[in-house]
Amino acid sequence: MTPKLLRRAVEALSTFNVETPSWGFADTGTRFGKFFQDAAAIDMNDKLADAGQVHAVTGCCPTVATHVLWDYTPGQDPKQVVKMARKHGIKLGAINPNLFQDQEYKWGSFGHNDAAVRERALQHCFDSVAIMKAVGSEYLSLWFADGTNYPGQASIRERKGHFEEALKTLHKKLGPNQTMLVEYKPFEPAFYATDIADWGMAYLLSKKAGPRAKVLVDTGHHYSAQNIEQIVAWLLDEDMLGGFHFNDRRYADDDLTLGSIDPYQIFRIFHEILFFAADRRKMPNIAYMVDQCHNEKAKVEAMIQTVVMAQELYAKAALVDHEALRKAQAKNSVIDAELLLKKAFFTDVSPALAAWRKSNQLPADPLVEHRRSGYERKAAADRKARRKAMGITRGGSFA
Ligand code: PSV
Ligand code: MN
């Protein structure tokens, strides 16, 4: 790696942060069962401690995303949670309303045919905006499980209309520094017609809602052959890309560790972002977040592994020679253009990561440091004892 490239990669790393999800530290599983870990977080303080540990060893995860009904106790002053987060060296990031778990949402939330249920969902979002204000969060991150399971079940157009109306109403509640992110997902839990199934739908609804609504790209929410970086490039060009939920997939929304299946995919996404930024001479405002729940891997370790992978791929993408790429593209030199991407992708960026970590007084290897610290062992012992004292028994499966 030449000194010039090293500088470029280090510079890129110095502006790159990733938000971790509170739900990635608690017990999770599939609908066939859960495999429990002694070190899994029991409460919000544990989740924040885990997120704080990830930040302490990686230095690039200063915020944690929260899900309102999973993380805030009714009647609790959200500022208490801010204090708790501060104690663990982090801040609160995106606020995610829960619009999917209540029985009332059987037929949907914003898309429900009953105005009273839509109103209930909106009220929950207004409460979420109030939490955003209290904790100083910039992002309201919206994901809807809404959809139908059978042809003819509901009017697709009517549901679209309900979404347009509710999102517009919600947008009016946002403060000047608040953005709402609209996430799409092709299927699950709805298996016939998810109301916001793809980026086009999320784009259209966001556009109609107002200027502070942007699209959130969850990398796991695409069909197998879909070209995600092309979606990213289009959204960037339209100033409609708000953020990411990172994870990897082999089949559907697998929630696998970022880059475990296709690291080149994430590299190509980062390349589109950095190429865009170079052309516009301005870095777009994008919320990078992880959305993974690990069942087999130790949760904090998996999060560290994910974040380090994201940094590595971001640093590699920063090495693409944009000038040479523009020239190759102008001449239609297909091979040369492609090789420029490949060259950057295959460059060993560990010297840049080492230099960046050193200059930020961070451990040389976050995962090694985490293991050395004994955090996992201590958390497991403490949480196991607390579960026992609280009478929490875990086991069996759920369906
Ligand atoms: C839905 O699959 C999703 O990707 C949404 O972002 C939710 O907030 C998250 O997963 C919950 O695990
Ligand atoms: Mn997601």
Side-chain angles (χ1 to χ4, degrees):
M1 200 178 216
T2 64
K4 192 177 156 201
L5 287 183
L6 185 95
R7 257 201 318 280
R8 208 192 296 166
V10 171
E11 224 170 81
L13 288 169
S14 68
T15 60
F16 184 69
N17 282 336
V18 193
E19 185 161 303
T20 56
S22 66
W23 54 97
F25 300 112
D27 276 326
T28 45
T30 68
R31 70 194 167 97
F32 301 106
K34 283 186 184 183
F35 296 105
F36 300 113
Q37 297 180 16
D38 287 339
I42 303 172
D43 54 24
M44 191 54 173
N45 187 59
D46 294 344
K47 293 178 194 177
L48 294 169
D50 291 353
Q53 169 70 1
V54 175
H55 181 50
V57 294
T58 62
C60 71
C61 304
T63 56
V64 63
T66 49
H67 252 293
V68 174
L69 297 187
W70 295 338
D71 296 326
Y72 300 86
T73 327
Q76 176 189 33
D77 179 358
K79 290 214 162 48
Q80 292 300 325
V81 184
V82 175
K83 265 196 207 153
M84 223 190 274
R86 200 179 303 136
K87 190 178 82 195
H88 297 294
I90 50 169
K91 287 185 177 163
L92 296 168
I95 304 295
N96 295 247
N98 294 55
L99 296 160
F100 41 82
Q101 64 200 53
D102 299 358
Q103 289 303 310
E104 283 80 357
Y105 298 141
K106 179 171 180 181
W107 308 116
S109 59
F110 278 17
H112 203 291
N113 53 357
D114 182 344
V117 179
R118 298 200 296 277
E119 197 47 49
R120 176 198 172 94
L122 259 176
Q123 191 51 55
H124 176 59
C125 290
F126 297 161
D127 296 345
S128 305
V129 173
I131 295 181
M132 284 173 81
K133 286 188 179 139
V135 306
S137 161
E138 233 181 288
Y139 293 104
L140 181 73
S141 200
L142 299 163
W143 172 68
F144 300 91
D146 289 49
T148 52
N149 279 299
Y150 296 97
Q153 183 180 328
S155 162
I156 294 173
R157 282 175 289 110
E158 196 177 285
R159 292 182 73 92
K160 172 177 173 280
H162 293 326
F163 262 93
E164 287 175 5
E165 199 184 304
L167 287 169
K168 245 182 238 165
T169 309
L170 176 55
H171 189 279
K172 290 195 190 108
K173 289 274 170 185
L174 295 175
N177 299 321
Q178 296 179 333
T179 301
M180 71 192 215
L181 304 172
V182 180
E183 182 172 354
Y184 57 92
K185 182 174 181 177
F187 62 89
E188 202 225 359
F191 291 107
Y192 169 62
T194 297
D195 287 325
I196 312 183
D198 66 24
W199 74 276
M201 297 178 192
Y203 168 89
L204 197 75
L205 289 171
S206 303
K207 261 294 202 236
K208 288 189 175 184
R212 287 191 298 285
K214 306 276 174 202
V215 178
L216 183 140
V217 177
D218 182 315
T219 46
H221 294 184
H222 300 88
Y223 294 114
S224 288
Q226 223 161 350
N227 184 335
I228 306 175
E229 65 268 26
Q230 185 179 18
I231 296 172
V232 168
W234 275 56
L235 289 174
L236 279 167
D237 200 55
E238 293 293 328
D239 187 25
M240 287 302 284
L241 179 66
F244 283 94
H245 272 178
F246 285 141
N247 50 65
D248 212 338
R249 70 189 286 285
R250 178 65 184 85
Y251 299 103
D253 187 25
D254 308 335
D255 268 7
L256 299 179
T257 312
L258 187 81
S260 57
I261 303 294
D262 188 359
Y264 193 41
Q265 162 75 86
I266 306 298
F267 165 88
R268 295 192 306 266
I269 289 174
F270 284 146
H271 161 64
E272 287 304 329
I273 294 168
L274 295 171
F275 195 29
F276 170 87
D279 281 344
R280 301 283 169 105
R281 294 176 199 287
K282 194 176 175 263
M283 195 52 90
N285 215 354
I286 301 171
Y288 295 112
M289 297 173 267
V290 176
D291 186 1
Q292 289 172 191
C293 292
H294 287 280
N295 202 11
E296 295 176 329
K297 291 178 174 176
K299 293 162 200 298
V300 175
E301 285 199 2
M303 209 56 81
I304 294 168
Q305 187 190 19
T306 301
V307 169
V308 168
M309 174 89 298
Q311 283 187 302
E312 203 175 313
L313 294 168
Y314 194 76
K316 283 172 186 277
L319 301 183
V320 175
D321 185 338
H322 295 140
E323 234 174 270
L325 184 62
R326 281 187 210 103
K327 278 186 194 153
Q329 290 178 345
K331 285 193 278 177
N332 293 310
S333 304
V334 185
I335 292 182
D336 293 349
E338 189 198 355
L339 283 177
L340 286 163
L341 264 65
K342 285 274 172 72
K343 192 175 165 200
F345 180 67
F346 287 111
T347 303
D348 175 14
V349 289
S350 48
L353 282 159
W356 177 79
R357 288 188 186 126
K358 196 167 175 208
S359 69
N360 286 285
Q361 290 90 48
L362 288 161
D365 186 326
L367 192 56
V368 168
E369 171 57 22
H370 170 66
R371 287 180 175 164
R372 195 207 54 78
S373 73
Y375 181 92
E376 178 90 16
R377 193 178 25 80
K378 281 181 244 161
D382 164 61
R383 293 170 192 180
K384 198 174 167 186
R386 276 167 50 219
R387 266 188 202 97
K388 198 169 165 205
M390 290 159 86
I392 301 176
T393 47
R394 303 186 298 171
S397 63
F398 66 102

